[in-house]
Amino acid sequence: MHAGSRTVRTHRYKWRQILWNFLKALPFWLLIGGFILIILGMTVTVFLSAFSTHWFGTVLPAGFTFSWFTKAWSEYDIWLYFKLSLETTFIATAISLVLSVPGAYVFARRDFPLKSFLLGFYQLPFMLPELAYALPVAAIFYKLGLAETFTGLIIVQLLVGIPFSMVILIPFIEALDPRLEIAAQSLGADRLRMFSRIVVPQLIPGITASAINIFIRMFGAFVVILLISGPKMQTLNVMVFSVLSATGSQPQPMLDSLTLSLMLPLLLFTFLSMWVSRRLQRRVGK
């Protein structure tokens, strides 16, 4: 009986501890769950409204249609802004990779004065608020005549793409076996051939991950693009913001369809990034 009562007390103590831990964590999980529900609720509301024929006083819309997207794309010429966003982002991504791969290799393989300072400088765009560097960049671009130009949009995206690509690529290069590079040079390969034949093929997973991530980041860049784009060189996100902040007469489903026109590509690129990252991790693991 004595052993049995001790077992009962032990079980009661464990259950009390479990209950107490649950009660302590309950406010945190309620806060997190409430935040997630609010975000999901707003997203689902915008999604349903963009496809609704009529939605007033009911839980779900009365019907669904694609007509709001058709009207929005024809009235605001969304394809032109979407095309401009893709063109500038693709070009900026390619240039960022061409410039960042050799730079990341130097940072990963060489020691030189001010290396830590330069690495910290490359990380400034991630630590500073975007407005902190967007305002001086916009002022310089207007003085140089680069604002409201196609070239200016590409250059300003490089200010984001190159540092972000460097931060991604440096760990990939540091993980490579330097003995392969030493062996290639001992067999007569110059630095250019060694870099193109030995380093770059091993960096394909890192280059792919870097390309997708900087593409998403540059495609979604907003503040600095808003300040230098002007009315004739607006990217898709700037155009959507301009319409949402200035309109007062458009139906809400049309405004929601404009919002989805920006959200859906970003979500698609994000899921593509996650899928490619998993594939690369599995391949590298093998």
Side-chain angles (χ1 to χ4, degrees), residues 105 109-110 177-186 188-202:
Y105 180 81
R109 288 287 190 258
R110 301 287 186 269
D177 190 351
R179 292 175 296 181
L180 296 176
E181 303 163 30
I182 297 174
Q185 290 181 322
S186 66
D190 55 22
R191 291 186 176 181
L192 179 60
R193 182 172 297 181
M194 178 273 297
F195 184 77
S196 60
R197 299 287 182 88
I198 303 298
V199 177
V200 173
Q202 296 181 87

Side-chain angles (χ1 to χ4, degrees), residues 32-44:
I32 297 298
F35 177 76
I36 294 175
L37 286 177
I38 291 173
I39 298 298
L40 289 178
M42 291 189 296
T43 304
V44 171

Side-chain angles (χ1 to χ4, degrees), residues 97-256:
L97 291 175
V98 170
L99 297 178
S100 62
V101 171
Y105 180 81
V106 172
F107 275 98
R109 288 287 190 258
R110 301 287 186 269
D111 289 322
F112 51 88
L114 301 179
K115 177 180 178 180
S116 299
F117 172 78
L118 291 176
L119 283 174
F121 179 77
Y122 274 113
Q123 294 175 358
L124 279 179
F126 317 118
M127 297 184 292
L128 291 175
E130 191 174 358
L131 194 62
Y133 64 87
L135 288 173
V137 166
I140 294 173
F141 271 47
Y142 275 101
K143 288 182 180 179
L144 297 178
L146 291 172
E148 303 183 21
T149 64
F150 187 85
T151 303
L153 288 179
I154 295 175
I155 294 175
V156 81
Q157 289 183 342
L158 292 178
L159 300 178
V160 178
I162 293 177
F164 197 70
S165 180
M166 293 273 288
V167 170
I168 294 176
L169 287 173
I170 288 176
F172 276 93
I173 298 175
E174 290 177 341
L176 300 180
D177 190 351
R179 292 175 296 181
L180 296 176
E181 303 163 30
I182 297 174
Q185 290 181 322
S186 66
L187 293 175
D190 55 22
R191 291 186 176 181
L192 179 60
R193 182 172 297 181
M194 178 273 297
F195 184 77
S196 60
R197 299 287 182 88
I198 303 298
V199 177
V200 173
Q202 296 181 87
L203 272 183
I204 294 301
I207 293 174
T208 304
S210 177
I212 295 176
N213 282 278
I214 63 175
F215 181 89
I216 295 172
R217 194 174 185 89
M218 290 189 294
F219 188 89
F222 175 70
V223 175
V224 67
I225 301 294
L226 175 66
L227 294 177
I228 65 109
S229 61
K232 295 182 180 179
M233 280 292 167
Q234 291 185 351
T235 56
L236 180 61
N237 47 7
V238 175
M239 185 277 295
V240 171
F241 170 78
S242 301
V243 174
L244 293 178
S245 60
T247 187
S249 58
Q250 294 291 356
Q252 188 61 41
M254 180 177 288
L255 300 180
D256 291 333

Side-chain angles (χ1 to χ4, degrees), residues 19-37:
L19 180 61
W20 175 243
N21 293 332
F22 172 77
L23 292 176
K24 286 194 301 183
L26 185 60
F28 171 78
W29 290 111
L30 287 176
L31 180 63
I32 297 298
F35 177 76
I36 294 175
L37 286 177

Side-chain angles (χ1 to χ4, degrees), residues 67-78:
S67 61
W68 296 116
F69 281 91
T70 305
K71 293 178 182 178
W73 279 66
S74 61
E75 182 170 341
Y76 293 104
D77 294 326
I78 292 180

